[in-house]
Amino acid sequence: MAGDPPKTPILAGVAGHPVSHSLSPIIHTIWAKRVGIEGHYIPIDVPANYDDFVRAMDALRAVGFAGVNVTIPHKEHALRYAGEASETAKAAGAANMLTFSDDSAKAENSDITGFAEAVQEKTAEPGTSALVLGAGGAARGVVLALKDLGLTDIRITNRTLERAKELGAAFDLAVIDWEKRLETLENIDVLVNTTSLGMTGQPPLELDLSGLDPSALVADIVYAPLKTALLKDAEAKGHATVDGLAMLMHQAVPGFRMWFGGEAIVDDDLRSELVKELKRRGRA
């Protein structure tokens, strides 16, 4: 209508350190263009300490950001910063979303639903048993997602046994010694790698899948490279697989809907654009 003031673009972003590698700005930009929303989603590098995180979040709120996704190393900082937190964020002990209001911020964890929905794309019935490699913040979210999917026999293993024991105690999980991980593959329905092993620039994940039932699902939350050695081996043996890109796309949906107010569809076209970007960066 003539004379109406111009709409203020919606502002959101992703905070982490480092953060330049993030594909989240591409995901949100594609969705915004699809639904005709004027908005900007910006990567924000925040030094890896809580005080700097607080200053950055206060500044973003002050300039009118609707919210931010939060990635390593700030997920626990985000939960601490928030005045309110969802039950899933509390259970995970970490948040990957902050939604801002005038005087507060709400923390949520969409990593949990993101992983669950990525698994459900591959199978409606993932089974009852799982082995999770790793015991960091990502593993906590994966464990909660597996529980939401109905898996009841979840086992955890980690290179540092004490961390595995801490996670096992928190979620009532069986703890497996890292050196005995191969012996645990038999009768496992879902295998998930949440460690950095196999990621570009990191040591390989040494895991012989010959003892794993061919019907088992194999997931790796890494997306650089897109197909890790674990996923390549799994595919060669006929396993259904879930890569880190699937989880990344699905976990982005709640934030876009919350901050931009539009529909966010995870489809082949979105995935294709992200794969192109990974190839451009030499990380596919």
Side-chain angles (χ1 to χ4, degrees):
M1 190 177 207
D4 284 350
K7 291 183 178 179
T8 302
I10 298 168
L11 299 176
V14 54
H17 183 73
V19 76
S20 60
H21 67 284
S22 176
L23 295 176
S24 294
I26 297 172
I27 295 173
H28 288 264
T29 298
I30 289 172
W31 282 338
K33 287 181 179 178
R34 284 182 179 181
V35 295
I37 291 173
E38 186 177 1
H40 304 286
Y41 185 97
I42 302 163
I44 304 150
D45 197 305
V46 180
N49 64 80
Y50 182 66
D51 289 342
D52 279 325
F53 183 79
V54 169
R55 283 191 284 270
M57 295 306 103
D58 286 349
L60 295 178
R61 284 172 50 203
V63 299
F65 269 62
V68 290
N69 285 117
V70 181
T71 188
I72 294 172
H74 293 302
K75 291 186 179 184
E76 292 180 356
H77 292 163
L79 186 62
R80 179 180 171 187
Y81 175 83
E84 181 184 357
S86 68
E87 291 304 314
T88 52
K90 291 176 185 177
N96 74 318
M97 281 178 61
L98 285 174
T99 298
F100 299 136
S101 60
D102 290 340
D103 57 358
S104 187
K106 181 177 180 180
E108 299 180 74
N109 193 314
S110 65
D111 285 337
I112 298 166
T113 56
F115 181 76
E117 289 174 10
V119 169
Q120 287 179 312
E121 276 191 338
K122 295 292 185 176
T123 175
E125 297 181 0
T128 60
S129 60
L131 176 63
V132 177
L133 309 176
R140 296 176 75 93
V142 165
V143 167
L144 288 167
L146 292 171
K147 285 178 174 286
D148 285 348
L149 289 169
L151 281 79
T152 55
D153 177 14
I154 303 173
R155 308 166 201 181
I156 191 87
T157 186
N158 189 58
R159 285 167 288 175
T160 304
L161 183 59
E162 287 306 312
R163 293 197 69 185
K165 287 181 177 179
E166 289 173 8
L167 186 57
F171 292 102
D172 192 25
L173 310 175
V175 177
I176 307 299
D177 188 281
W178 183 256
E179 301 304 321
K180 296 182 179 179
R181 62 194 184 279
L182 293 181
E183 302 170 21
T184 312
L185 294 182
E186 189 176 354
N187 299 320
I188 289 295
D189 298 311
V190 180
L191 172 66
V192 189
N193 177 40
T194 72
T195 74
S196 61
L197 295 175
M199 184 185 296
T200 301
Q202 297 295 321
L205 171 64
E206 297 177 353
L207 192 68
D208 182 357
L209 298 181
S210 58
L212 191 64
D213 190 284
S215 66
L217 176 76
V218 178
D220 199 327
I221 67 169
V222 168
Y223 63 83
L226 184 55
K227 283 194 178 182
T228 61
L230 174 66
L231 295 184
K232 288 179 180 179
D233 188 22
E235 288 181 356
K237 290 179 168 60
H239 295 281
T241 61
V242 173
D243 60 34
L245 197 56
M247 178 180 175
L248 179 71
M249 292 186 293
H250 282 289
Q251 66 81 27
V253 170
F256 185 84
R257 290 176 176 169
M258 176 70 70
W259 306 322
F260 291 91
E263 190 57 70
I265 303 297
V266 174
D267 55 21
D268 290 341
D269 288 341
L270 177 63
R271 183 181 182 87
S272 177
E273 290 301 315
L274 297 178
V275 171
K276 285 180 186 177
E277 178 61 19
L278 285 173
K279 288 180 178 178
R280 187 189 71 79
R281 298 179 185 183
R283 297 172 64 190

